[in-house]
Amino acid sequence: QVQLVESGGGLVQAGGSLRLSCAASGSIFSIGDMGWYRQAPGKQRELVARISIGGATNYADSVKGRLTISRDNAKNTVYLQMNSLKPEDTAAYYCNVKPRLSLSSGYIDYWGQGTQVTVSS
């Protein structure tokens, strides 16, 4: 099994910064895509940013230039550096990790428990 532990959320004023982390542990052979999603009250969960095993990234238009995703493959960890935060960034943030447990197995979706980010105006 795979466990994901998220950290780094909190309350920050508009214009401030936060850094989210998500560490994967367990019987992991390798990890494919890693990403961050968010869900605000009354809204659907949406993709914030995603990074491939090779480091290719893609972002939601609303966060481009402000949020940066990165990964440390040696630590099985994905990060989200959040700068110039806006009140509309307020949401629960979830990491999504796609590990495979052996060379012959496929990639499986795992989700973090969520961490709350609140940006005050």
Side-chain angles (χ1 to χ4, degrees), residues 35-40 43-50 60-63 66 88-94 111:
W36 290 94
Y37 290 71
R38 67 186 181 188
Q39 187 168 19
K43 295 188 176 181
Q44 289 189 331
R45 189 173 296 189
E46 63 175 358
L47 173 69
V48 174
R50 184 166 50 209
D61 287 343
S62 60
V63 307
R66 301 187 298 116
E88 50 263 45
D89 294 317
T90 295
Y93 284 71
Y94 299 88
W111 291 89

Side-chain angles (χ1 to χ4, degrees), residues 79-92:
Y79 305 97
L80 186 68
Q81 179 64 45
M82 310 171 71
N83 297 329
S84 302
L85 283 164
K86 303 176 180 179
E88 50 263 45
D89 294 317
T90 295

Side-chain angles (χ1 to χ4, degrees), residues 15-111:
S17 298
L18 287 172
R19 189 190 194 211
L20 306 184
S21 299
C22 174
S25 61
S27 303
I28 297 170
F29 177 78
S30 66
I31 299 179
D33 286 358
M34 306 177 85
W36 290 94
Y37 290 71
R38 67 186 181 188
Q39 187 168 19
K43 295 188 176 181
Q44 289 189 331
R45 189 173 296 189
E46 63 175 358
L47 173 69
V48 174
R50 184 166 50 209
I51 184 168
S52 73
I53 190 171
T57 58
N58 66 289
Y59 295 91
D61 287 343
S62 60
V63 307
K64 285 180 180 176
R66 301 187 298 116
L67 276 57
T68 303
I69 191 170
S70 61
R71 63 189 286 169
D72 184 332
N73 292 327
K75 296 181 178 180
N76 289 336
T77 299
V78 61
Y79 305 97
L80 186 68
Q81 179 64 45
M82 310 171 71
N83 297 329
S84 302
L85 283 164
K86 303 176 180 179
E88 50 263 45
D89 294 317
T90 295
Y93 284 71
Y94 299 88
C95 65
N96 174 254
V97 173
K98 293 178 170 55
R100 55 176 177 169
L101 306 186
S102 70
L103 181 61
S104 59
S105 66
Y107 291 97
I108 307 170
D109 259 338
Y110 281 87
W111 291 89

